[in-house]
């Protein structure tokens, strides 16, 4: 680390604790629950919301691309953010065991310009194709007094048989944690990313110091991986838990169990994370509380199943379930 002031997610304008308080305030009055057909099967706060549809549970997610769109604007490259939009929703569906079926998008614009919407559409179409689902509609709004540039979000619907829903209640001490590699930063932590680049000697058009074949902007715009291989695992093997590693890093593992996670052999973070950490003087703890650090999804399985799941997904055994806490080697996340 250098002598410069350390960068954190909070100093970039995103305080995850304040965000949690806002969510609690927003949802505390949402007490009405439909009964019978369409009744909720989960409380607010899991990766996806589930509703009773007879033999099946219908799963719903909603999410956006976040401030990654600002880098897309800087680079004048908008053909991948649609993949991010689909991926952030689909991966949350997968984390509860649901198969994606349909998607609607919401594109809010400051103003219309030729070629822009077509590029965004290319990414949305590609994300839907990877996810094996249809885009069935959406909404476009021109909001010059509200939006500066554009914002892209979406809502996804999926389905899963009720007996196949995975909320994490099956997780037990001794289970193996299999990590699946991320494609990069995905679509979280970009407020901190942008702060680091702004205060560094680099800009988005500069070539990566560790790879002269691509610019920093191109590296930061690599779209979020969509983990459809998870569905193959669910069809073939016993799985106790799933998690999509997004904003606030490993802290969101509390969504699926109160047991602990010991990541004794984590995936080696790609160079982009090391570059950002060095340029922003970011602590190891802050990195793991903000970014996926090279691991975008985890599958928790019984010990005897682990080799088969690793073979099917190309994943890595990164740790085991323990009684309490979240640790990465000697680093205590909480």
């Amino acid at each position: 680390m250098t002598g410069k002031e350390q960068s954190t997610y909070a100093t970039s304008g995103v305080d995850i604790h304040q965000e949690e308080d806002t969510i609690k305030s927003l949802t505390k009055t949402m007490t009405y629950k439909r009964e019978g057909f369409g009744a909720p099967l989960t409380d607010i706060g899991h990766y996806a919301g589930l509703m009773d549809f007879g033999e099946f549970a219908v799963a719903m997610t909603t999410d956006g691309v976040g401030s990654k769109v600002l880098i897309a604007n800087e680079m004048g490259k908008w053909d991948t953010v649609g993949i991010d939009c689909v991926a952030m929703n689909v991966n949350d569906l997968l984390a509860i065991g649901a198969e994606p079926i349909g998607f609607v998008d919401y594109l809010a614009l400051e103003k219309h310009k030729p070629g822009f919407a077509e590029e965004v559409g290319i990414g949305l179409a590609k994300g839907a194709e990877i996810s094996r689902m249809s885009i069935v509609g959406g909404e476009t709004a021109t909001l010059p007094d509200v939006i500066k540039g554009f914002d892209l979000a979406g809502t996804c619907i999926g389905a899963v048989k009720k007996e196949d829903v995975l909320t994490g209640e099956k997780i037990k001490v001794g289970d193996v944690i299999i990590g699946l590699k991320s494609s990069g930063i995905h679509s979280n932590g970009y407020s901190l990313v942008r702060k680091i680049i702004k205060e560094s000697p680099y800009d988005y058009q500069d070539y990566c110091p560790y790879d002269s074949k691509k610019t920093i902007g191109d590296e930061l715009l690599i779209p979020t991986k969509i983990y459809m291989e998870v569905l193959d695992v669910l069809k073939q093997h016993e799985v106790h838990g799933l998690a999509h590693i997004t904003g606030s890093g490993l802290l969101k593992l509390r969504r699926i169990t109160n047991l602990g996670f010991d990541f004794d052999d984590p995936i080696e973070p790609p160079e982009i994370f090391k570059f950002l950490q060095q340029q922003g003087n970011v602590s190891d703890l802050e990195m793991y509380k903000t970014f996926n650090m090279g691991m975008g999804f985890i599958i928790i399985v019984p010990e005897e199943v682990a080799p088969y799941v690793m073979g099917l997904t190309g994943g890595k055994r990164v740790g085991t379930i323990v009684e309490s806490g979240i640790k990465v080697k000697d680093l205590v996340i909480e």
Side-chain angles (χ1 to χ4, degrees):
M1 294 290 182
T2 66
K4 66 187 288 189
E5 182 181 354
Q6 286 194 356
S7 296
T8 66
Y9 208 10
T11 61
S12 72
V14 181
D15 187 315
I16 58 175
H17 300 296
Q18 288 182 351
E19 193 172 88
E20 288 171 358
D21 289 342
T22 297
I23 293 170
K24 289 177 182 177
S25 297
L26 179 66
T27 58
K28 68 181 181 181
T29 58
M30 298 178 183
T31 55
Y32 173 78
K33 294 184 178 180
R34 178 186 173 99
E35 296 180 356
F37 189 75
L41 298 175
T42 52
D43 293 327
I44 294 172
H46 211 287
Y47 284 103
L50 294 178
M51 296 177 295
D52 188 343
F53 265 59
E55 179 186 358
F56 287 87
V58 167
M60 293 184 68
T61 59
T62 189
D63 206 344
V65 183
S67 63
K68 188 172 184 175
V69 300
L70 297 176
I71 298 176
N73 281 339
E74 289 273 354
M75 297 296 292
K77 177 176 169 56
W78 303 285
D79 61 345
T80 59
V81 291
I83 301 176
D84 287 297
C85 187
V86 171
M88 296 305 292
N89 283 280
V90 167
N91 288 339
D92 277 357
L93 282 183
L94 295 172
I96 208 162
E99 179 177 0
I101 295 173
F103 188 86
V104 293
D105 64 275
Y106 174 71
L107 177 62
L109 300 163
E110 179 183 7
K111 61 182 178 180
H112 296 266
K113 52 187 173 184
F116 163 75
E118 182 179 355
E119 282 203 34
V120 173
I122 288 170
L124 288 169
K126 183 63 176 177
E129 180 184 353
I130 294 169
S131 306
R132 303 194 292 271
M133 68 173 181
S134 305
I135 296 179
V136 295
E139 178 70 16
T140 301
T142 308
L143 303 169
D145 294 329
V146 178
I147 299 293
K148 301 304 176 187
F150 77 103
D151 189 27
L152 180 63
T155 296
C156 196
I157 252 186
V160 55
K161 287 188 175 181
K162 285 180 183 174
E163 64 266 27
D164 295 332
V165 170
L166 277 172
T167 58
E169 73 279 355
K170 296 179 181 178
I171 298 172
K172 63 181 188 295
V173 172
D175 280 348
V176 171
I177 308 168
I178 296 171
L180 306 186
K181 287 184 178 181
S182 68
S183 53
I185 299 176
H186 284 183
S187 196
N188 298 104
Y190 275 81
S191 292
L192 179 54
V193 169
R194 291 185 301 103
K195 178 180 185 292
I196 290 171
I197 299 300
K198 182 178 179 181
E199 295 177 356
S200 79
Y202 297 92
D203 61 35
Y204 300 120
Q205 287 75 26
D206 288 334
Y207 286 98
C208 295
Y210 54 85
D211 187 348
S212 61
K213 295 180 181 178
K214 56 186 174 183
T215 67
I216 293 170
D218 288 335
E219 176 84 319
L220 295 174
L221 287 179
I222 292 174
T224 305
K225 178 175 169 55
I226 300 174
Y227 294 94
M228 292 298 287
E229 63 267 34
V230 170
L231 294 179
D232 296 327
V233 173
L234 294 174
K235 291 174 183 176
Q236 299 181 41
H237 300 289
E238 180 182 356
V239 174
H240 287 175
L242 301 163
H244 179 203
I245 310 303
T246 60
S248 69
L250 298 178
L251 292 177
K252 282 188 178 171
L253 293 174
R254 282 285 159 260
R255 286 181 168 185
I256 62 172
T257 183
N258 289 322
L259 292 173
F261 297 76
D262 184 5
F263 294 94
D264 54 17
D265 190 18
I267 290 173
E268 180 71 17
E271 288 297 326
I272 184 60
F273 293 103
K274 300 173 185 178
F275 168 74
L276 291 169
Q277 182 173 19
Q278 181 182 38
Q279 292 302 314
N281 192 25
V282 185
S283 70
D284 289 342
L285 180 61
E286 189 69 19
M287 292 295 290
Y288 275 100
K289 287 171 65 176
T290 305
F291 301 111
N292 66 61
M293 295 300 283
M295 183 176 66
F297 206 96
I298 66 171
I299 304 174
I300 301 164
V301 298
E303 172 81 34
E304 63 273 15
V305 173
Y308 303 102
V309 175
M310 287 188 285
L312 193 60
T313 63
K316 176 186 176 183
R317 179 180 178 139
V318 293
T320 54
I321 298 297
V322 293
E323 290 287 351
S324 62
I326 299 176
K327 288 177 57 180
V328 179
K329 292 188 174 179
D330 296 327
L331 188 68
V332 178
I333 305 300
E334 64 166 10

